[in-house]
Amino acid sequence: MSPRFARRLDGIEISMIRQIMSRAAGCVNLGLGEPEFADPPRVRKQARRVLQGGRIGYSPNAGIPELCRRVHEYHGGRGGHSVCVTNGSQEALFDAVFALAGPGDEVLVPNPGYVTYPTAVRLAGATPVPYPLRSRDGFRLDSEALKALVSPRTRALILNTPSNPTGRSLTLEQLQGAARLAEENDLVLVSDEIYRETHYGTPPPSVLDATDAAVVICGFSKAAAMTGWRLGWACGPRAIIDKVTVLHQNTSICASTLTQRAALALFTPEGRDEIERLRQRMVRNRLLTCRWLGRRMGQAFVPPDGAFYVMVSIEETGLDSLSASLEMLQDKVATIPGAAFGSEGEGYLRLSFACRPESLRKGLRRFETGINRLVQNRK
Ligand SMILES: Cc1ncc(COP(=O)(O)O)c(C=O)c1O
């Protein structure tokens, strides 16, 4: 039997990231965007308590009320806003895109940007329109270039701050500019702020500091190293979140009740301390990585002000990013080709420094060997 598949899947494949990682056995992982740290002990303890307690049934579709209230407060507690808790922020992203755009519509997505954005838009039947974050400008948002891409069909603008893969955060002025653009063109801002707690200076502004009329996508996968717990949410204007909840109900009924109840532990002073401890580890890893790349290797890179990625130029190797990343597997280090995130990522490899310091040092040593080898090969 050869099954026929829905047309919406045409051209949609497993991402380049997974393709690299599937060949990366025995490599130090500077590839995947997943903290290599243990999840917070408070969450584990609370989960054990929940397991030992009574039955774990469905929660209300939008999430258990106490968690929704906490998340609402976490995003400023704005009047007219509500929350839908989802299975990871990835689901929230899908639900928001599906709620806002369909055939004939366009959605602006960052280039380079997280691979799911254009895929979710395509699966919703709409057209992703990439807006450039140019490497020659240090991957900064060019508000004029963005404006020029808005059309009468544009329904939403996806922002990601701090960004995967660039590590850049948007400034309040840039967010205010995006808010004006949204208002003037009747489109919705969807701001993925999953890395908001991972910053290396003052906390980055949220889109909600610029406007109330935006949807924030967030969760604790990154800040609390809880990738496998699958906890995320969308928070924003009630009318939009109601639609997100309709989609969420029909795809997954509710997020894991065990996870939701355990995650309440993060909204206590002790839980906040654990998140801060994880952030401090990232601060040290970022310093180690930037020093290594700068002083030891003299390598061109864009220092991140948030998230746990750094984009490193591979210009000297003369290779495209996919070839360089595949070559590096020989040196037993996994990195992600910048091109996986869009054409503006070409010429770079994305390194994730969210690993234990021992792995990070080992990975950076191998990366150094690999780059030197590729540069020598070119000569
Ligand atoms: C920018 C961005 N958004 C969303 C996600 C999805 O995270 P999760 O579904 O674990 O919350 C990721 C994961 O790598 C990401 O990098």
Side-chain angles (χ1 to χ4, degrees), residues 33 88-90 114 117 160 164 192 194-195 221-222 230-231 309:
S89 65
Q90 184 97 337
Y114 181 50
Y117 303 145
N160 178 209
N164 173 9
D192 179 349
I194 188 77
Y195 295 99
S221 286
K222 314 290 178 174
R230 310 311 299 130
L231 178 77
Y309 308 108

Side-chain angles (χ1 to χ4, degrees), residues 181-201:
L181 192 68
E183 199 180 340
E184 285 161 13
N185 294 281
D186 194 20
L187 55 96
V188 177
L189 298 181
V190 176
S191 184
D192 179 349
E193 300 182 4
I194 188 77
Y195 295 99
R196 77 192 293 243
E197 299 260 12
T198 311
H199 56 82
Y200 307 108

